[in-house]
């Protein structure tokens, strides 16, 4: 299925108006995930650890 | 050595080196990808060997080629000795009997990384706000017509599939076999995660080995090796112009370096 999609996609691109192809979408506001919620205290700590030498 | 040493948040999340210099100056084998817009990918690293940023964040701290801490216990011991951190772990992981631990360290770093997004003019264009110059708009068409978008698509313009590097014509450097090291399947030889093209203008040098210096050259190589096409210099310039519209705004307030507890 994936293989088929990757073969057909370039064809679709050549034959359709780009704006009709929902290939691209804007970035989300963040990349939150249910299994590790971005709570304020966690993000604050994570930012410090990111910079921790 | 911090995450920021190799993924400098002021510099689009990269170190601008072909491959990174780690703990005690050791040089690793791969180019450091940006941490911006990375948490949304299907998996982490060039070969996808970590499922998500939570799993990924456990690696560098103990990797002798990166931050080189001797053990998880040592990391926990060092954090526990700083009262400010003990308090912050308590607040971040309320109700846990022993909040200061290696797993929670990675969870916190990953939660921070999940906020590292850089919306750009291209997003404003997609939302109907105009904003691409005539040359960028032409480059956008050419990017699609050439077939780049068959791999580089979605909100990150990549990051959502694995593909063979050298799909139509073998890549010149096959010393790093890519994802086969993770899956041990022959079909994954020279297969890599399709990287995001967000901020690509700012994140060179390019490819997993960091061997290609300029974006123009990267575009030409992609056309020949992945699509069996030769682009004219004008097409390359137009596609390059379009790619610059993917350079986003760095979230200055979100990444501001805080005072660290001591």
């Amino acid at each position: 299925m994936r293989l088929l999609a990757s073969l057909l996609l370039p064809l679709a691109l050549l034959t359709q108006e780009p704006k009709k192809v929902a290939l691209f979408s804007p970035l989300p506001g963040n990349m939150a995930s249910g299994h590790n919620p971005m709570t304020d205290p966690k993000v604050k700590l994570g930012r410090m650890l990111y910079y921790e030498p | 050595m911090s995450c920021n040493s190799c993924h400098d948040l002021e510099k689009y999340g990269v170190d601008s080196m072909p491959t990174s210099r780690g703990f005690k100056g050791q040089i690793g084998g791969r180019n450091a990808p940006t941490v911006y817009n990375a948490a949304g990918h299907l998996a982490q690293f060039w070969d996808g060997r970590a499922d998500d940023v939570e799993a990924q964040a456990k690696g560098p701290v103990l990797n002798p080629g990166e931050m080189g801490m001797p053990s998880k216990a040592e990391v926990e011991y060092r954090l526990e000795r700083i009262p400010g951190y003990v308090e912050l772990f308590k607040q971040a992981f309320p109700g846990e009997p022993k909040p200061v631990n290696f797993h929670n360290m990675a969870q916190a770093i990953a939660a921070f990384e999940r906020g590292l997004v850089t919306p750009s003019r291209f997003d404003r264009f997609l939302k109907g706000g105009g904003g691409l110059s005539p040359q960028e708009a032409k480059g956008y068409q050419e990017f699609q017509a050439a077939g780049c978008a068959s791999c580089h698509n979605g909100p990150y313009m990549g990051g959502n599939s694995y593909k063979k590097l050298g799909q139509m014509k073998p890549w010149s450097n096959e010393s790093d076999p890519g994802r086969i090291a993770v899956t041990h399947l022959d079909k994954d030889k020279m297969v890599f995660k399709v990287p995001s093209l967000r901020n690509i203008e700012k994140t060179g040098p390019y490819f997993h080995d960091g061997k290609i210096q300029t974006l123009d050259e990267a575009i030409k190589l992609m056309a020949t090796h992945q699509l069996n096409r030769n682009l004219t210099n004008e097409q390359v310039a137009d596609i390059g112009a379009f790619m610059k519209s993917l350079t986003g705004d760095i979230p200055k307030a979100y990444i501001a370096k805080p005072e660290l507890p001591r």
Side-chain angles (χ1 to χ4, degrees):
Chain A
M1 191 56 217
R2 229 196 231 158
L3 181 66
L4 191 64
S6 70
L7 290 172
L8 292 177
L9 211 44
L11 273 178
L13 290 170
L14 288 173
T15 52
Q16 288 187 33
E17 278 295 321
K19 56 176 171 298
K20 288 183 200 148
V21 185
L23 259 184
F24 306 104
S25 48
L27 279 176
N30 62 44
M31 303 170 282
S33 122
H35 70 82
N36 184 22
M38 293 173 63
T39 64
D40 287 347
K42 210 193 285 172
V43 169
K44 179 180 170 194
L45 171 62
R47 180 184 297 109
M48 288 175 179
L49 294 169
Y50 188 93
Y51 283 106
E52 187 60 46
Chain B
M1 174 111 318
S2 71
C3 307
N4 202 59
S5 314
C6 298
H7 305 282
D8 188 337
L9 295 177
E10 295 278 354
K11 297 191 176 133
Y12 290 91
V14 295
D15 59 7
S16 309
M17 310 245 297
T19 61
S20 298
R21 198 177 294 274
F23 179 64
K24 293 193 177 153
Q26 295 183 43
I27 309 267
R30 284 187 182 156
N31 174 261
T34 177
V35 287
Y36 281 110
N37 315 302
H41 298 185
L42 84 165
Q44 299 296 306
F45 292 120
W46 286 99
D47 53 14
R49 69 185 180 283
D51 283 347
D52 52 27
V53 281
E54 284 73 16
Q56 194 284 329
K58 292 181 176 174
V61 182
L62 300 177
N63 182 343
E66 294 186 47
M67 295 150 98
M69 292 294 268
S71 68
K72 291 182 188 177
E74 176 70 19
V75 177
E76 293 172 359
Y77 173 73
R78 292 197 190 187
L79 290 168
E80 264 162 2
R81 275 191 320 182
I82 305 172
Y85 272 127
V86 175
E87 190 48 40
L88 287 158
F89 271 90
K90 263 191 212 152
Q91 288 166 9
F93 301 95
E96 293 191 17
K98 189 181 170 292
V100 186
N101 63 57
F102 191 74
H103 175 78
N104 283 349
M105 175 209 71
Q107 294 287 112
I109 295 175
F112 169 63
E113 288 178 286
R114 290 187 176 280
L116 295 171
V117 285
T118 60
S120 73
R121 283 192 293 121
F122 184 57
D123 297 285
R124 298 195 264 284
F125 166 80
L126 289 175
K127 289 176 180 167
L132 293 191
S133 74
Q135 191 191 15
E136 289 165 351
K138 194 161 154 245
Y140 178 44
Q141 303 287 338
E142 275 159 6
F143 181 83
Q144 297 177 74
C148 310
S150 63
C151 296
H152 297 279
N153 56 48
Y156 308 102
M157 315 290 285
N160 54 359
S161 65
Y162 300 107
K163 288 280 155 47
K164 181 169 177 170
L165 177 58
Q167 179 142 292
M168 302 303 275
K169 183 176 160 220
W171 196 247
S172 52
N173 175 11
E174 297 199 340
S175 58
D176 181 340
R179 198 163 156 74
I180 188 173
V182 182
T183 63
H184 307 290
L185 299 171
D186 272 350
K187 70 170 179 58
D188 285 333
K189 183 149 185 275
M190 286 311 286
V191 166
F192 292 88
K193 183 175 78 178
V194 176
S196 165
L197 297 180
R198 294 276 176 181
N199 302 312
I200 192 72
E201 167 198 11
K202 304 286 188 186
T203 60
Y206 301 105
F207 299 108
H208 65 269
D209 56 8
K211 283 207 196 304
I212 302 303
Q213 293 294 329
T214 68
L215 188 52
D216 281 3
E217 169 124 45
I219 296 168
K220 279 187 207 150
L221 287 170
M222 275 284 119
T224 50
H225 290 270
Q226 303 302 75
L227 294 159
N228 203 16
R229 274 172 185 260
N230 286 312
L231 299 176
T232 65
N233 287 339
E234 194 188 334
Q235 285 171 317
V236 171
D238 292 343
I239 292 176
F242 162 59
M243 287 196 175
K244 288 175 189 153
S245 78
L246 299 171
T247 301
D249 307 323
I250 287 187
K252 290 276 182 200
Y254 187 79
I255 64 153
K257 185 178 172 180
E259 204 184 311
L260 301 177
R262 281 296 167 262

